[in-house]
Amino acid sequence: MITSPADDDTALATVEKAENHATAPRPASRRNRPTTLYDLTPAQLGERIADLGEPAYRANQIFDWTYDKKVTGYDGMANIPARLRTKLGDDLPFATMVPERELVTDNGDTAKMLYRTFEGQFVETVLMIYRDRVTVCVSCQVGCAVGCAFCATGIGGLTRNLTAGEMVQQTVDAARRAGELGRPLTNLVMMGMGEPLQNYAETMRFIGIIHDPSGMNFGARRITISTSGIVPRIDALALEPYQVNLAVSLHAPNDELRSRLVPINRRYPVAELMAACDRYIAATGRRISFEYALMNGINNSDEIARELGRLLYGRLCHVNIIPFNPVEMLDFERPDPAGIERFAEILRSMGTPATVRYSRGVEIAAACGQLRAQHTRAQLHEPATPVVPMAPVS
Ligand code: SAH
Ligand code: SF4
């Protein structure tokens, strides 16, 4: 288990090492991390089916059951012969994460799923129902090595990268859940636990699988990757074939403050990050969203708002102001509503579009990593804020 402090060089080196493992082929015997059906592209499933001596159309049928009908196991695949279902179940587990707990709030419009991985780790996914869209917030790591000062996920460091299949499972389950409510899943944000650009290969594989027209056919433009600012990976992302959206978690306009809040800034300082954002915009023609968690007395003064306005001036971008979500054990607080609006107004007056986005599901600890932290503490019999399971949405 990797429990490195979120310090720049050490953490990065550790993460790179972890990534190399995660990107290598992962037969079941290596690292004890089974490949599941959700890990496979249609072509890879086709190869498996051919290896089993089965006709090619079986792969299409299995993909249809998995991504269109969204069955939860091989048993539900009615037109697949029982002997093939058994063979597949032995060789290729359908999925490995087990739903451990579900919490619902906002009158049923926000649901949070806590999964248990095959080795007993916890992973969070949040489904948010809006009037005009349905969004899933997917996790890509257990923990995170970046260790931002205000984030619950980073507190214990990085445990491991999630596999593409574990991310696909979160997405398909959310789409099934949305479907049960009569709504299609329309948007996906990589804003759950973890830093997607430090689990780059699996994140790209994940996007490839859900984007595939013979699977979920989920539009790349409806996917947003959020990053704390891993500069070389922003450059890599600009070259990917997928037209995903990029959100950059800025949180401060200068190195002195940003290095305190987002430690990776010591490795990739603001000027380098901005240059990478400019290259990304030039290469893709797409607007970048900058995330800004607003914390009272930390990064919310008028002077800082003006400094941010100057930094972003003239860039094809939008600022999402996220009023800080309280995290147990962390001392930051959210400014009052008037102060939040004032910050946004200063940015707008300087020519940068800014929107205030209140996080959904604060009472079920929907901010990144909090439910996992509470659940883990509860398992260790430590006192924690009570989390009350609520009635299911349907
Ligand atoms: N690791 C990626 C994506 C996951 S975090 C990143 O950092 O961008 C998703 C967003 O939630 C980030 O902008 C992050 O800074 C923000 N965030 C984390 N903890 C928060 C909190 N307690 N209050 C408000 N925003 C928070
Ligand atoms: Fe990691 Fe993002 Fe949390 Fe920072 S905000 S610790 S990068 S998950």
Side-chain angles (χ1 to χ4, degrees):
M1 183 164 118
I2 299 159
T3 50
S4 66
D7 215 326
D8 37 31
D9 285 348
T10 326
L12 251 193
T14 320
V15 167
E16 297 295 348
K17 211 168 129 209
E19 255 194 79
N20 289 340
H21 280 289
T23 55
R26 290 170 292 100
S29 58
R30 275 194 59 209
R31 289 177 62 79
N32 196 25
R33 201 176 296 175
T35 297
T36 67
L37 177 59
Y38 284 134
D39 281 288
L40 301 188
T41 61
Q44 288 169 327
L45 180 63
E47 282 167 26
R48 290 240 177 183
I49 292 293
D51 288 348
L52 292 172
E54 298 286 340
Y57 67 85
R58 292 287 182 218
N60 299 338
Q61 288 175 323
I62 292 168
F63 246 66
D64 186 55
W65 283 110
T66 308
Y67 292 104
D68 191 34
K69 301 193 179 68
K70 300 183 187 63
V71 294
T72 52
Y74 291 115
D75 283 352
M77 300 184 176
N79 59 359
I80 304 296
R83 54 165 178 80
L84 177 55
R85 279 190 260 151
T86 309
K87 239 194 286 180
L88 285 168
D90 291 345
D91 284 2
L92 181 71
F94 187 85
T96 49
M97 295 199 301
V98 178
E100 167 90 5
R101 191 172 185 189
E102 187 177 286
L103 304 172
V104 178
T105 189
D106 293 331
N107 289 324
D109 285 344
T110 304
K112 182 159 201 163
M113 184 63 78
L114 186 72
Y115 291 95
R116 182 195 286 272
T117 65
F118 75 95
E119 86 278 45
Q121 300 294 336
F122 293 108
V123 171
E124 305 176 11
T125 312
V126 186
L127 179 68
M128 293 158 286
I129 315 273
Y130 299 90
R131 208 153 37 86
D132 59 337
R133 65 191 191 284
V134 177
T135 302
V136 62
C137 179
V138 170
S139 292
C140 64
Q141 295 180 318
V142 180
C144 179
V146 178
C148 297
F150 50 86
C151 174
T153 301
I155 288 174
L158 174 69
T159 300
R160 75 158 166 94
N161 286 328
L162 294 186
T163 60
E166 287 165 324
M167 294 182 245
V168 172
Q169 185 182 354
Q170 295 174 61
T171 308
V172 178
D173 285 354
R176 184 186 312 108
R177 176 63 181 259
E180 285 162 7
L181 298 171
R183 301 283 304 272
L185 182 69
T186 58
N187 294 68
L188 185 153
V189 293
M190 307 259 350
M191 293 188 182
M193 292 158 45
E195 168 50 60
L197 298 193
Q198 285 186 334
N199 184 13
Y200 190 83
E202 288 299 291
T203 296
M204 289 305 130
R205 264 168 40 74
F206 158 59
I207 290 171
I209 293 168
I210 61 165
H211 182 56
D212 198 289
S214 52
M216 245 183 137
N217 197 18
F218 200 89
R221 285 167 188 271
R222 296 184 171 277
I223 298 173
T224 299
I225 292 185
S226 178
T227 179
S228 55
I230 316 297
V231 163
R233 301 279 161 79
I234 292 175
D235 286 328
L237 191 62
L239 301 175
E240 295 287 344
Y242 311 118
Q243 308 254 305
V244 295
N245 303 298
L246 178 64
V248 173
S249 298
L250 194 54
H251 308 313
N254 61 60
D255 286 330
E256 198 271 317
L257 180 56
R258 191 164 191 272
S259 291
R260 275 165 44 210
L261 296 175
V262 186
I264 201 84
N265 190 72
R266 289 181 223 138
R267 172 104 176 211
Y268 304 115
V270 173
E272 281 185 33
L273 177 58
M274 286 300 138
C277 291
D278 289 344
R279 290 192 294 274
Y280 180 90
I281 293 168
T284 64
R286 293 199 292 275
R287 185 183 79 163
I288 288 186
S289 297
F290 288 103
E291 309 290 303
Y292 198 96
L294 207 60
M295 290 165 267
N296 200 27
I298 305 286
N299 64 354
N300 69 328
S301 69
D302 291 359
E303 195 190 329
I304 290 179
R306 285 193 291 271
E307 193 180 350
L308 183 62
R310 284 193 297 276
L311 179 72
L312 298 181
Y313 181 75
R315 290 196 159 90
L316 183 61
C317 72
H318 183 102
V319 177
N320 288 322
I321 295 168
I322 317 165
F324 173 70
N325 269 311
V327 175
E328 252 183 276
M329 301 183 293
L330 299 182
D331 249 357
F332 301 103
E333 57 182 43
R334 168 186 284 205
D336 60 38
I340 295 169
E341 196 39 52
R342 183 182 167 84
F343 192 90
E345 203 37 60
I346 293 175
L347 287 179
R348 289 181 201 123
S349 72
M350 296 178 73
T352 296
T355 311
V356 178
R357 298 209 189 275
Y358 284 90
S359 297
R360 280 285 193 91
V362 172
E363 64 267 49
I364 54 167
C368 184
Q370 292 187 50
L371 182 58
R372 165 183 165 254
Q374 287 178 354
H375 194 75
T376 307
R377 262 195 309 281
Q379 291 228 321
L380 295 170
H381 310 293
E382 285 180 18
T385 307
V387 179
V388 184
M390 298 165 84
V393 175
S394 49

